[in-house]
């Protein structure tokens, strides 16, 4: 039996496309190549550069295999995307960018057919963030498309299909606010029949199911054996969650940070999710429902810090805390627990130094994350991974705002690529994984808790003022 040590991972993020080699024993990326995930403007609408991605993926796998040797392949990708294939297995229509606002033009028509939140655990979202809304818009704007569609694939599984020629859908991507899946029943939703796609949905597999061998021409181009194991693939936030499911005892929460900040509560308080606050019922790699919430934290950070230096001094932090300088939601009002609200400062923004701006937005992002954890019933430690795990201001404020410990990885053994690679690891142990994490905060700075309380009180007052009085 061949021992798998180095896993090549295709990691399609909303901002960047990455191909990495993960050493399973070290749980570390030992080789990484990336390209921007630039959106093509059209026609017929803004869409992903699928051909460009594929050429990059093949070239990157070839280079990384020569440098490190690849023993198996896995795929992870962002949610809110599906691929429509024709009977020849080619794209029946370009893969729509989920930030395209076209589906909003048919909001009324789509709302008449979409299932209730109680059925899908999927909130009604703007743009193309509901895959059902994307497909409905595409079908409505191209009368010939329906007859051209032979297969509907979730996004990670499309890339697995390009590698292996095998067709599959998978529950973590189906359960990512698509409107297409019923988490409690583990079945397709009623929307599938309303869109007349029942016969076109690929069979549902598990993320860790093996889909190989590689197509001969792909294996030859990359320069690796065709019989390499290839996983079905997994939604990126669930890739981040996967190791913890295998190795942690509930309750705990995972905070996956990047363009999106997504909180996933495992074993928390039983709460009624509010779809108006961008909560949703995610589905983990085992097919189980997971209360979740999210906001575009990475995007918000970039918007606030555009043109400003992302660093600060202790004096900057002190001034932000004692003044205090507060940023209120929502910087990106299209999603999150305060969607539809317009962001504001309690001070003249133009007078802020770069350091004060950085400290204030770091605190804001932590407080937004704490709100997401609260409304999903989170308990136990918050396990933070991704770019925000390197922001000590964010971590300290998150601990103070939740009054629970925050843990971050002391190494590189977390993240979407690591989680996707671990789908191939059959020797997962709690000791091996848990030892790489450190507790960020066991006691809470009174200045931070006071700042958090003032922010929460001010936000609640703003919400109360916005609610019409009867």
């Amino acid at each position: 039996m061949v021992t798998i040590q180095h896993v090549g991972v295709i990691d399609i993020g909303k901002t960047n496309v990455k191909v990495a080699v993960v050493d399973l024993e070290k749980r570390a990326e030992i080789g990484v190549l990336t390209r921007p995930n630039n959106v093509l403007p059209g026609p017929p609408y803004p869409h992903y550069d699928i051909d460009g991605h594929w050429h990059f993926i093949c070239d990157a796998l070839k280079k990384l295999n020569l440098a490190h040797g690849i023993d198996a392949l896995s795929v992870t990708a962002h949610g809110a995307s599906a691929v429509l294939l024709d009977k020849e297995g080619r794209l029946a229509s370009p893969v729509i960018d989920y930030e395209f606002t076209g589906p909003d033009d048919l909001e009324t028509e789509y709302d008449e057919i979409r299932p209730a939140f109680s059925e899908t655990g999927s909130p009604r979202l703007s743009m193309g963030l509901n895959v059902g809304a994307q497909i409905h818009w595409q079908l409505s704007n191209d009368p010939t498309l329906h007859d051209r569609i032979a297969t509907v694939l979730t996004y990670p599984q499309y890339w697995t299909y390009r590698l292996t020629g095998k067709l599959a859908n998978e529950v973590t991507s189906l359960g990512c606010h698509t409107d297409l899946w019923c988490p409690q029943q583990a079945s397709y939703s009623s929307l599938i029949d309303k869109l007349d796609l029942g016969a076109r949905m690929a069979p549902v597999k598990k993320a860790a199911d093996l889909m190989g061998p590689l197509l001969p021409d792909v294996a030859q181009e990359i320069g690796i054996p065709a019989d390499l194991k290839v996983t079905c693939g997994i939604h990126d936030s669930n890739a981040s969650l996967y190791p913890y499911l295998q190795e942690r005892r509930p309750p705990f929460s995972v905070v996956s940070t990047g363009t999106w900040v997504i909180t996933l509560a495992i074993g928390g308080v039983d709460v009624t999710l509010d779809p108006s606050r961008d909560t949703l019922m995610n589905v983990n790699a085992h097919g189980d429902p997971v209360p979740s919430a999210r906001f575009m934290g990475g995007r918000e950070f970039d918007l606030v810090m555009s043109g400003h230096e992302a660093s600060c001094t202790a004096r900057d932090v002190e001034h932000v805390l004692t003044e205090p300088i507060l940023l209120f939601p929502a910087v990106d009002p299209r999603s999150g627990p305060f969607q539809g609200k317009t962001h504001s400062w309690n001070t003249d923004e133009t007078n802020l130094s770069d350091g004060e701006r950085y400290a204030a937005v770091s605190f804001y992002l932590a407080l937004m994350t704490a709100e997401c954890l609260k409304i999903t019933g989170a308990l136990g430690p918050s396990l933070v991974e991704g770019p925000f795990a390197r922001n000590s201001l964010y971590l300290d404020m998150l601990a103070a705002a939740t009054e629970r410990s925050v843990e971050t990885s002391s190494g590189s053994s977390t993240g979407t690529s690591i989680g996707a690679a671990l789908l191939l690891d059959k020797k997962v142990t709690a000791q091996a994984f848990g030892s790489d994490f450190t507790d960020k905060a066991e006691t809470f700075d009174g200045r931070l808790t006071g700042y958090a309380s003032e922010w929460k009180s001010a936000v609640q007052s703003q919400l109360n003022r916005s609610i019409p009085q009867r």
Side-chain angles (χ1 to χ4, degrees):
M1 183 176 180
V2 177
T3 300
I4 297 175
Q5 181 178 356
H6 293 165
V7 179
V9 178
I10 300 166
D11 187 345
I12 313 288
K14 187 61 173 70
T15 304
N16 292 297
V17 177
K18 178 171 76 173
V19 178
V21 176
V22 174
D23 186 309
L24 284 182
E25 184 176 349
K26 297 177 181 177
R27 297 202 179 189
E29 294 176 350
I30 58 174
V32 176
L33 294 170
T34 65
R35 83 182 296 246
N37 188 358
N38 294 325
V39 173
L40 302 179
Y45 44 73
H47 57 276
Y48 301 126
D49 183 11
I50 297 299
D51 288 339
H53 289 354
W54 180 244
H55 291 313
F56 164 75
I57 287 167
C58 291
D59 184 61
L61 285 173
K62 183 176 182 178
K63 290 176 179 176
L64 291 170
N65 180 57
L66 288 172
H68 305 284
I70 293 175
D71 306 318
L73 294 170
S74 190
V75 180
T76 183
H78 63 74
S81 292
V83 181
L84 310 177
L85 298 180
D86 63 19
K87 61 182 180 180
E88 282 80 33
R90 300 187 297 250
L91 296 183
S93 191
V95 182
I96 193 168
D97 172 27
Y98 68 61
E99 292 186 273
F100 173 52
T101 59
D104 291 338
D105 297 338
L106 298 178
E107 178 180 2
T108 301
E109 294 87 341
Y110 181 64
D111 285 347
E112 291 177 356
I113 65 170
R114 73 179 295 267
F117 182 76
S118 58
E119 179 183 344
T120 63
S122 178
R124 182 66 174 100
L125 303 173
S126 63
M127 305 177 289
L129 286 167
N130 296 123
V131 167
Q134 292 179 27
I135 297 175
H136 174 259
W137 183 89
Q138 289 173 291
L139 293 172
S140 299
N141 281 271
D142 183 351
T144 68
L145 177 58
H146 186 275
D147 290 339
R148 298 202 308 273
I149 298 173
T151 310
V152 179
L153 290 180
T154 40
Y155 198 39
Q157 288 63 52
Y158 168 72
W159 297 107
T160 301
Y161 163 74
R162 291 294 297 264
L163 293 168
T164 68
K166 303 292 178 60
L167 298 168
N169 283 326
E170 189 271 331
V171 293
T172 62
S173 289
L174 286 170
C176 179
H177 49 80
T178 63
D179 289 342
L180 304 178
W181 189 251
C182 299
Q184 303 296 346
Q185 284 74 41
S187 64
Y188 284 119
S189 76
S190 57
L191 182 61
I192 297 296
D193 289 336
K194 291 176 182 177
L195 294 174
D196 191 22
L197 294 175
R200 296 168 171 83
M201 302 302 294
V204 178
K205 302 283 187 179
K206 293 182 179 180
D209 285 350
L210 299 179
M211 301 292 289
L214 290 173
L215 292 169
D217 59 333
V218 174
Q220 183 175 6
E221 180 174 358
I222 298 172
I224 56 180
D227 60 354
L228 253 63
K229 292 182 177 179
V230 184
T231 66
C232 181
I234 189 168
H235 170 231
D236 55 7
S237 294
N238 276 282
S240 298
L241 176 63
Y242 182 72
Y244 307 102
L245 291 177
Q246 306 298 93
E247 303 158 337
R248 285 267 180 169
R249 290 185 179 180
F252 63 87
S253 295
V254 172
V255 180
S256 174
T257 69
T259 302
W260 289 95
V261 173
I262 300 178
T263 65
L264 304 120
I266 308 297
V269 177
D270 188 13
V271 295
T272 300
L273 298 180
D274 181 354
S276 71
R277 305 201 68 191
D278 215 348
T279 61
L280 60 148
M281 192 64 76
N282 250 300
V283 179
N284 67 32
H286 302 314
D288 300 322
V290 179
S292 308
R294 85 283 171 69
F295 69 105
M296 293 194 85
R299 178 69 52 78
E300 292 191 322
F301 180 86
D302 290 342
L303 288 171
V304 176
M305 292 305 300
S306 177
H308 301 276
E309 185 177 351
S311 64
C312 65
T313 65
R315 185 174 180 178
D316 292 324
V317 176
E318 182 70 23
H319 189 227
V320 169
L321 288 173
T322 56
E323 191 63 22
I325 297 172
L326 302 167
L327 172 58
F328 301 119
V331 175
D332 188 327
R334 298 172 298 174
S335 62
F338 302 105
Q339 56 187 296
K341 307 301 178 185
T342 302
H343 82 279
S344 63
W345 293 84
N346 71 337
T347 189
D348 185 350
E349 179 186 359
T350 61
N351 291 331
L352 296 176
S353 69
D354 285 5
E356 290 166 346
R357 178 183 292 269
Y358 174 75
V361 72
S362 297
F363 291 154
Y364 160 84
L365 294 168
L367 291 163
M368 289 285 286
T369 305
E371 187 69 16
C372 289
L373 290 168
K374 174 185 174 183
I375 61 180
T376 52
L379 293 175
S382 300
L383 313 176
V384 179
E385 57 177 43
F388 290 7
R390 299 188 292 271
N391 185 332
S392 62
L393 298 179
Y394 171 89
L395 300 172
D396 289 339
M397 182 58 75
L398 181 59
T402 59
E403 297 187 340
R404 297 194 306 274
S405 66
V406 172
E407 299 179 33
T408 64
S409 173
S410 60
S412 57
S413 66
T414 61
T416 56
S417 295
I418 305 297
L422 287 175
L423 292 172
L424 289 147
D425 189 353
K426 307 305 180 185
K427 301 177 292 183
V428 179
T429 64
Q431 182 178 2
F433 192 76
S435 62
D436 194 44
F437 273 73
T438 56
D439 197 341
K440 176 61 184 174
E442 295 181 355
T443 60
F444 311 111
D445 187 324
R447 298 176 306 163
L448 295 175
T449 55
Y451 184 100
S453 295
E454 186 159 350
W455 186 89
K456 293 174 187 177
S457 178
V459 169
Q460 188 58 54
S461 295
Q462 291 179 5
L463 291 176
N464 291 341
R465 288 196 299 270
S466 69
I467 298 174
Q469 300 298 313
R470 294 182 179 272

